[in-house]
Amino acid sequence: MDTAFTTFLSVFLAEMGDRTQILAAVLALRYRNNNAILAGLACATLINCGISAAGGSVIDSWMSAQSVKMFAGLAYIFAGAGMLLWRRNVDPLSGWKSPAFLTAFFGLFILEFGDKSQFIIAAQSARTPYWGMAAVGGFVGIMAATVPAVILRARLRQIVPLKPIRWVSGALLLGWGFVLTTQANGIS
């Protein structure tokens, strides 16, 4: 259960103000079909979380405990830095003429693939024998951060101060990453 909670919290923080949230809100505005967007989001997220957790469970057997901790620390450092630094604008997929579910599924799947949350899930999965719990925690974290964006759409920016949340979340993830990397190097 610890794995699910820590993965949930880490991924939730990493997704706040992220491109996944923004694209989901843009698609909800465009299609005006929350159910299709949420279903596409859920399917894409479930597959991505499963891939991440399975990958993490495989690399666990290839690496020492110290290397796994270093991998986790670097995943958090890159996630935190990514939240604090400049990022590209989100492609609204306006050229895609597919139905709402397919656009949400493929668009969000591609956007999430290789994203910071995938590395956090893989790192958490590599640190525990309960890799399925890392997938569950990651899935719930992404959904908890993104569902309000679909429901609130354009009002999200007015209600939730995304920029300060990104900065605080980024600083927390960066700090935790530094703690893990120093522990992996035997400094603390």
Side-chain angles (χ1 to χ4, degrees), residues 15 18-21 23-24 27 36-53 88 90-91 93 96 98 100-119 121 139 142-143 146:
E15 291 296 324
D18 193 47
R19 295 182 320 156
T20 305
Q21 256 188 345
L23 179 59
L27 293 176
I37 302 303
L38 291 172
L41 169 68
C43 291
T45 301
L46 186 63
I47 293 169
N48 270 321
C49 289
I51 290 169
S52 304
R88 294 179 306 162
V90 175
D91 177 4
L93 309 179
W96 292 28
S98 52
F101 171 80
L102 292 177
T103 302
F105 173 75
F106 287 112
L108 291 165
F109 180 83
I110 292 166
L111 187 66
E112 288 178 4
F113 197 79
D115 191 34
K116 61 185 167 284
S117 293
Q118 269 202 316
F119 284 98
I121 295 166
F139 174 80
I142 292 171
M143 294 301 288
T146 310

Side-chain angles (χ1 to χ4, degrees), residues 69-70 72-74 77 176-187:
K69 191 174 272 194
M70 179 63 78
L74 291 173
I77 288 171
W176 182 239
F178 282 122
V179 167
L180 290 174
T181 55
T182 56
Q183 287 177 351
N185 287 316
I187 295 172

Side-chain angles (χ1 to χ4, degrees), residues 6-143:
T6 54
T7 307
F8 160 76
L9 187 59
S10 302
V11 169
F12 179 76
L13 289 174
E15 291 296 324
M16 290 307 294
D18 193 47
R19 295 182 320 156
T20 305
Q21 256 188 345
I22 296 165
L23 179 59
V26 166
L27 293 176
L29 276 168
R30 174 177 159 196
Y31 285 104
R32 303 255 180 234
N33 185 347
N34 287 359
N35 291 337
I37 302 303
L38 291 172
L41 169 68
C43 291
T45 301
L46 186 63
I47 293 169
N48 270 321
C49 289
I51 290 169
S52 304
S57 73
V58 169
I59 65 169
D60 172 44
S61 62
W62 299 342
M63 299 166 69
S64 68
Q66 181 181 2
S67 297
V68 168
K69 191 174 272 194
M70 179 63 78
F71 171 63
L74 291 173
Y76 282 101
I77 288 171
F78 286 118
M83 295 186 77
L84 296 173
L85 301 175
W86 173 85
R87 62 192 178 144
R88 294 179 306 162
N89 290 331
V90 175
D91 177 4
L93 309 179
S94 53
W96 292 28
K97 304 301 178 203
S98 52
F101 171 80
L102 292 177
T103 302
F105 173 75
F106 287 112
L108 291 165
F109 180 83
I110 292 166
L111 187 66
E112 288 178 4
F113 197 79
D115 191 34
K116 61 185 167 284
S117 293
Q118 269 202 316
F119 284 98
I120 289 173
I121 295 166
Q124 288 296 108
S125 174
R127 297 179 72 199
T128 179
Y130 308 109
W131 64 271
M133 296 306 285
V136 169
F139 174 80
V140 174
I142 292 171
M143 294 301 288

